Amino acid sequence: MGRSGKIAVGLVLVLAVLLGINALVTGAETRPAEVTRSDGRILGLRGGALQVVDRGPRDAPPIVLLHCFTCAIDWWDRMMPRLERDHRVVAIDLLGHGGSEKPESGYSIESQADLVTEALGRLGVREATVVGHSLGGAVAVALAERSPRVASGVVIIDTTAGGEADLGLLAKLTFTPVLGEALWRIKTDFATRKGLEVAFAPGFEVPDAFVEDLERMTFTSYDSADSSDYSGSRSLATRMRATGKPLLVIMGAEEQIIDDPHAMLARYAREAPGTVTELIAGAGHSPNVEKPGETAALILAFAKRKTPATLGKRRHATQEGLQKTSAVRKNP
């Protein structure tokens, strides 16, 4: 081997060592909880400290909001003013997100649900309508399963019933061992923004605050927040059917993460009879951000009439609406 070959091999070895060291350092990073909002406060709990926002009349029926993967409480900001008029609204940064603590472990769906339950117990919240967006949808279902007295009904917003969702090529690369830690270390705001675009309908402008939300995460909290094992072993629809609690599933018609929102809504309705399903035109994976008024109205209507008989009637009307919406999309 010539001199240039030896240099090349040496450089490769050095690079491999540096990548390995970076993976160890990046993977071991933790961060304490911090207040990131003027209306936020930190609850020190057994499983970690969570940032919460508690708004609206304290004696009103409660609505709990659980955000998506890489998100934070501010993904609900456009909806909360509508919800808090007649409801106590509690929004929570899940462990590893927003202003909540970022420890080395504790990110399973079940652990997240138990921690949220502990936070709600501290706040004196019971019999709540629990609303979960994407990752938060899986946590909401786990909460209903494990703490049935806390949840009187569940709203799922753009959460796949089972299996993995397609977050895009860039996100897939960041989950690759060693390479993922390296990409995390050198990521730019531009790359983060591009990665977040799949969470909305094409052309939606990603707010700067959402880029900052992802920047607050550690690699461990990012890499560990995965609902596929929980929903893959037993679908969310099947789990909700077993709880016997009312379920509303909302999805954006312009989904870029879930392949076919129509088919996914049909799956929920099939596996959990009585489920109310709603498709929101013009919204992608995040109708709570893109169409806050319409999304809030659906949640409020659901919270007001959470009885099996009423929901059954509503489901039939909703399915008819889905068929009409689908026809409109096929024949613009």
Side-chain angles (χ1 to χ4, degrees), residues 66 113 116-117 120 130 138-148 150-151 230:
L66 306 176
V116 169
T117 297
L120 295 177
V130 183
V139 177
V141 172
L143 188 153
E145 274 190 314
R146 300 165 71 85
S147 305
V150 177
Y230 177 75

Side-chain angles (χ1 to χ4, degrees), residues 245-265:
K245 295 185 179 295
L247 173 64
L248 165 64
V249 182
I250 301 171
M251 289 200 176
E254 304 301 324
E255 258 286 357
Q256 297 194 79
I257 293 177
I258 297 173
D259 183 52
D260 187 343
H262 297 84
M264 188 59 67
L265 289 174

Side-chain angles (χ1 to χ4, degrees), residues 2-20:
R3 179 181 175 83
S4 59
K6 292 179 180 179
I7 292 175
V9 171
L11 290 174
V12 170
L13 291 175
V14 170
L15 178 60
V17 170
L18 291 176
L19 287 172

Side-chain angles (χ1 to χ4, degrees), residues 65-314:
L65 303 175
L66 306 176
H67 60 74
C68 57
F69 172 57
T70 74
C71 311
I73 291 170
D74 55 350
W75 285 60
W76 301 108
D77 281 352
R78 299 180 183 182
M79 275 180 46
M80 278 197 281
R82 296 169 170 86
L83 299 179
E84 67 189 50
R85 293 168 188 163
D86 299 305
H87 291 268
R88 180 182 182 182
V89 180
V90 177
I92 300 177
D93 276 337
L94 295 174
L95 193 71
H97 294 74
S100 292
E101 185 178 349
K102 287 90 178 169
E104 292 183 358
S105 60
Y107 298 110
S108 72
I109 296 300
E110 295 90 342
S111 295
Q112 291 276 19
D114 290 346
L115 194 55
V116 169
T117 297
E118 186 181 352
L120 295 177
R122 180 78 63 86
L123 297 172
V125 174
R126 294 181 64 181
E127 294 297 311
T129 298
V130 183
V131 183
H133 173 211
S134 197
L135 174 70
V139 177
V141 172
L143 188 153
E145 274 190 314
R146 300 165 71 85
S147 305
R149 293 183 179 180
V150 177
S152 60
V154 171
V155 179
I156 291 174
I157 301 176
D158 288 80
T159 307
T160 180
E164 296 183 2
D166 185 5
L167 298 175
L169 176 60
L170 184 59
K172 290 178 182 177
L173 291 175
T174 58
F175 293 124
T176 304
V178 181
L179 175 61
E181 288 90 337
L183 291 173
W184 183 264
R185 184 67 68 181
I186 63 173
K187 68 182 182 300
T188 64
D189 286 353
F190 175 79
T192 298
R193 190 181 303 277
K194 292 296 292 183
L196 288 172
E197 286 180 354
V198 297
F200 307 96
F204 186 86
E205 186 174 347
V206 178
D208 293 340
F210 294 178
V211 175
E212 295 172 7
D213 289 337
L214 194 149
E215 293 293 336
R216 288 193 178 97
M217 299 182 73
T218 62
F219 180 78
T220 298
S221 63
Y222 173 85
D223 189 50
S224 303
D226 184 6
S227 64
S228 60
D229 287 344
Y230 177 75
S231 61
S233 61
R234 191 172 174 219
S235 78
L236 299 188
T238 301
R239 291 176 183 274
M240 278 303 302
R241 182 181 64 194
T243 70
K245 295 185 179 295
L247 173 64
L248 165 64
V249 182
I250 301 171
M251 289 200 176
E254 304 301 324
E255 258 286 357
Q256 297 194 79
I257 293 177
I258 297 173
D259 183 52
D260 187 343
H262 297 84
M264 188 59 67
L265 289 174
R267 177 179 178 181
Y268 273 106
R270 181 176 65 254
E271 295 184 7
T275 296
V276 182
T277 58
E278 294 283 358
L279 188 72
I280 298 184
H285 189 69
S286 307
N288 49 313
V289 176
E290 301 164 274
K291 300 287 184 179
E294 189 172 347
T295 305
L298 292 172
I299 293 170
L300 290 171
F302 175 78
K304 185 177 181 180
R305 48 171 129 171
K306 286 180 298 190
T307 63
T310 305
L311 288 173
K313 294 177 183 178
R314 177 63 176 162

Side-chain angles (χ1 to χ4, degrees), residues 25-49:
V25 172
T26 302
E29 183 183 6
T30 62
R31 290 180 188 173
E34 60 173 333
V35 175
T36 61
R37 301 173 55 92
S38 60
D39 56 352
R41 65 179 172 123
I42 304 298
L43 297 181
L45 307 168
R46 291 190 299 272

